[in-house]
Amino acid sequence: MLSRKELFKDTLKKAAHAWKRTVELHLTEEEANLLRLYIDQPGYVDLHWVMFVPAIKGQGTEEQQKKWLTMAYKFQIIGTYAQTELGHGSNVQGLETTATFDPSTDEFIMHSPTLTSSKWWPGGLGKTSTHAVVYARLITEGKDYGIHGFIMQLRSLDDHSPLPGITIGDIGGKFGSGAYNSMDNGVMRLDHVRIPRDQMLMRLAQVTREGKYVHSDVPKQLLYGTMVYVRQTIVADASRALSRAVCIAVRYGAIRKQFGSKAGGPETQVLNYKTQQSRLFPFLASAYAFRFVGQWLKWLYTDVTQKLESKDFSTLPEAHACTAGLKSVTTSATADAIEECQKLCGGHGYLNSSGLPELFAVNLPACTYEGDNVVLLLQVARFLMKTVSQVASGKQPVGTTAYMGNIQHLMQCKSVVNTVEDWLNPAAIKEVFEARALRMAVNCAQNISKAPSQEEGFEAAVAHVQLIIVTKFIEKLQEDILGHGVKEQLQKLCGIYALHLIHKHLGDFLSTGCVTARQGSLANERLGKLYAQVRPNAVALVDAFDYTDHYLGSALGRYDGDVYSALYKEAWKDPLNETVVPDGYQEHLRPLLKQQLKLSRL
Ligand SMILES: CC(C)(COP(=O)(O)OP(=O)(O)OC[C@H]1O[C@@H](n2cnc3c(N)ncnc32)[C@H](O)[C@@H]1OP(=O)(O)O)[C@@H](O)C(=O)NCCC(=O)NCCSC(=O)/C=C/CC(=O)O
Ligand SMILES: Cc1cc2nc3c(=O)[nH]c(=O)nc-3n(C[C@H](O)[C@H](O)[C@H](O)COP(=O)(O)OP(=O)(O)OC[C@H]3O[C@@H](n4cnc5c(N)ncnc54)[C@H](O)[C@@H]3O)c2cc1C
């Protein structure tokens, strides 16, 4: 087991190799990220590509982009994204770091005025990054203009030592033993560090030589643009992580046999048990659902970015709501699913050699970074409340809230489901999800009008996001899908995804009158039938993810199913097994045993 310092050094070696190959092969950002996925390290290349570069692209002027991105693409500098502080992470407007303009020297003075203003968490900040985009309160002419981004050099490019006025280090070990512990999430304090005025990212606003603050014609929300970008990538990451865990649990469930042997015959595959299927197959369906909605979200983000370039900001609120909501719902579901997949594999799921503990440790923080999942859902609730009031004033909603324009019908419709088979009808499913989401949003708006609260709407936001995921799965099935019988299997998985949500949130559907108790029971009955129908193809459906054993990193999820010899082989690799008599026996165990033996002979 490597120490944290050895783990860090090993990861730095891998990351430096990845960067070298990135430059030598002239990789694009997309390709560099794929390379990062292959080495499967949430290391330094993450923040450099995923946040430092996008922040400069989104908030820098053309001139600033030209200057800084040229160096960043060639890895002449290594950047991170320093926004969160010890005292504030969710509340960006509450950040305390200051950037005070000094007209006498044409510089900003970057300072950490309090302990809680210490930058805290930025990945790669502790030991690796030479530069950062630092978010701070811009103060000029004695006035505080709120949070803006500034490019700062942190370390010497000669010997990597911190620059004067900068105290910088690692925040210490984190949950889990692997990847995130190889990452130097850092702490940084600034003691009146001066930077040139032109290192303020000036696309959104600028400060003139005289110190005048000038806001540009782009919405201030573009300050948050980098987080929108990352959140849409996180949905794809979640679908990948979930499909890895499901692949391991399904393959192992097909190999593992427990009980059920008759007359000395073979025991039963645990994947045949209904309890195993009802716990695992919704995750299999979710893995496909999140992959499809992630593909759609990537299209939405690209479309919004193109519109922004032509100064069309009309879809920015929708992009924020969709990226925030989908990041929240998919990462929470994925973290819960990976933990459950560990349990679905019994004791062996708890072994590091199963690959599941590390998968859990690396993906659990996704519920927090890039925005705490509750805080992000409250942003979606805010967006929904604005939409409901716009509908009330006669404005026709568009995009993912277009269904709210059908308010007359959806507020009173009754589900058309009368038989188990009716629950296979995508139109019936979509209408039930639309009605639930709309009715919950309207109920929330009515409650807020009676008693305004920032925290109303959490459940309505979940209902809206789940509707988006179900809708995108249904739309995916309306496309041409290659492969004999593939569409039929995906239709079953779409049914499982939607009906397991009805089962899980039946209270919502009943309390808003979208389904009756009988229809709810028919949904459960249909769900059980779908599990049985998917069982014969479950292994094929996870093989379809096409993960190599190397990438899966699991003795339980091996393609060849040779689980027990793999577990046994892995066990002997453990350092504890380097000696048959363990270190410590002579000092601690032997004296006790000898002493007790002697006493027993007296
Ligand atoms: C919670 C936030 C959004 C609160 O923002 P704030 O300005 O304080 O208040 P409002 O809620 O009133 O928002 C004002 C206005 O702006 C809109 N808006 C908010 N965010 C965005 C956005 N991203 N894009 C577009 N528009 C946005 C909002 O809808 C309001 O518009 P109205 O028309 O309704 O007025 C904010 O504090 C926030 O985002 N908090 C989360 C912080 C966060 O995500 N931090 C991540 C740090 S980086 C990180 O974690 C890296 C991890 C490393 C790794 O990934 O490995
Ligand atoms: C592994 C990892 C890597 C990270 N990397 C970076 C990085 O590279 N750069 C960077 O800048 N940051 C980074 N972060 C920090 C991360 O962005 C923040 O931790 C995250 O935004 C959550 O903010 P917080 O820690 O302040 O949580 P808090 O907001 O303090 O959350 C604590 C609790 O309060 C609740 N809460 C907060 N506000 C409200 C509200 N208004 N209503 C209801 N409940 C509320 C939350 O739901 C949560 O349950 C990283 C974090 C982690 C874990």
Side-chain angles (χ1 to χ4, degrees), residues 90-107:
S90 291
N91 181 9
V92 176
Q93 292 309 322
L95 297 175
E96 298 174 84
T97 301
T98 56
T100 308
F101 182 64
D102 178 353
S104 66
T105 61
D106 198 23
E107 293 170 317

Side-chain angles (χ1 to χ4, degrees), residues 184-305:
D184 53 322
N185 297 87
V187 49
M188 177 170 74
R189 287 188 60 70
L190 304 170
D191 181 5
H192 301 93
V193 180
R194 289 176 173 269
I195 62 172
R197 175 168 57 88
D198 71 0
Q199 287 184 210
M200 168 190 171
L201 290 174
M202 293 203 189
R203 181 178 171 204
L204 313 187
Q206 48 188 281
V207 168
T208 66
R209 175 66 191 80
E210 297 71 33
K212 285 265 174 281
Y213 180 86
V214 179
H215 200 285
S216 71
D217 57 355
V218 297
K220 66 177 174 47
Q221 285 88 341
L222 281 184
L223 174 80
Y224 297 137
T226 308
M227 294 182 279
V228 175
Y229 164 70
V230 186
R231 288 167 189 159
Q232 65 92 16
T233 66
I234 289 176
V235 174
D237 292 346
S239 78
R240 215 178 348 263
L242 176 54
S243 54
R244 286 168 70 178
V246 167
C247 183
I248 293 167
V250 166
R251 284 179 176 171
Y252 180 65
I255 291 293
R256 185 67 171 180
K257 296 183 177 71
Q258 283 298 293
F259 301 112
S261 75
K262 293 185 176 50
E267 292 181 76
T268 300
Q269 290 167 292
V270 296
L271 199 56
N272 291 346
Y273 291 124
K274 296 244 173 296
T275 48
Q276 193 83 354
Q277 292 173 11
S278 64
R279 290 160 64 197
L280 181 50
F281 288 171
F283 301 151
L284 174 59
S286 302
Y288 277 88
F290 295 174
R291 182 167 297 214
F292 298 148
V293 79
Q295 289 167 347
W296 168 78
L297 188 62
K298 185 173 180 181
W299 165 83
L300 178 77
Y301 178 78
T302 309
D303 182 63
V304 169
T305 307

